[in-house]
Amino acid sequence: AALYQDFMGAYGWSEPLAIALADTLETLGDLESAGDLYVEIMDQCRSCHTRIDPLIKRQFADISFELGRHSSAIMEMYLSLVQDDPENAPLYFQKISRIYTSMGNEEEARRFRVFAQQAENEITRSNSD
């Protein structure tokens, strides 16, 4: 982590190095710092009007979820990932369901569990074709 931080301190922002640093911080268990760095990476993409890599969005959403940040914003990020990364839609729907459960909305939680099962069935069907 120190190597990436020192390099970026000396030479400035580099997205590939920022991603490597965020991955390293996550591996080291520093989820707060990794999440902050993913926010910075996404902000850089927004400022230059480039598409945010779905992997970056997923890493940020998963870290936020793991840290117990079960918010509408994280739910919306998972919903956008359903479109960006449909192969993992069942996982995203399950996480949305768990967020709804944490918010006390069991009806929506059940609805998204059904979506997760339907998405899983579709993937299974398409893989067996």
Side-chain angles (χ1 to χ4, degrees):
L3 173 69
Y4 293 128
Q5 290 167 329
D6 291 347
F7 190 88
M8 287 184 13
Y11 298 102
W13 176 261
S14 166
E15 185 174 314
L17 288 178
I19 292 169
L21 175 57
D23 288 343
T24 301
L25 292 169
E26 190 174 352
T27 300
L28 293 172
D30 188 352
L31 299 182
E32 291 284 342
S33 296
D36 291 345
L37 199 47
Y38 285 124
V39 167
E40 193 173 338
I41 293 165
M42 290 186 296
D43 286 346
Q44 289 286 326
C45 293
R46 285 183 191 107
S47 70
C48 11
H49 305 288
T50 58
R51 180 177 171 270
I52 298 172
D53 182 343
L55 180 60
I56 300 300
K57 285 198 300 192
R58 180 179 179 176
Q59 292 293 104
F60 174 74
D62 286 348
I63 286 172
S64 297
F65 186 88
E66 193 172 325
L67 290 172
R69 297 180 185 145
H70 300 167
S71 67
S72 297
I74 298 305
M75 211 169 8
E76 288 176 28
M77 191 165 282
Y78 280 125
L79 281 171
S80 76
L81 283 165
V82 168
Q83 298 297 314
D84 295 342
D85 182 22
E87 298 85 34
N88 289 304
L91 172 69
Y92 303 139
F93 285 136
Q94 282 292 342
K95 290 202 175 179
I96 292 167
S97 173
R98 290 176 58 196
I99 292 170
Y100 272 122
T101 296
S102 74
M103 294 175 158
N105 190 337
E106 197 52 46
E107 184 177 331
E108 285 298 307
R110 272 191 302 278
R111 190 171 140 228
F112 276 90
R113 281 193 296 273
V114 169
F115 290 160
Q117 187 59 54
Q118 289 171 339
E120 186 67 44
N121 292 343
E122 285 178 33
I123 289 170
T124 302
R125 237 185 343 266
S126 70
N127 287 340
S128 66
D129 290 344

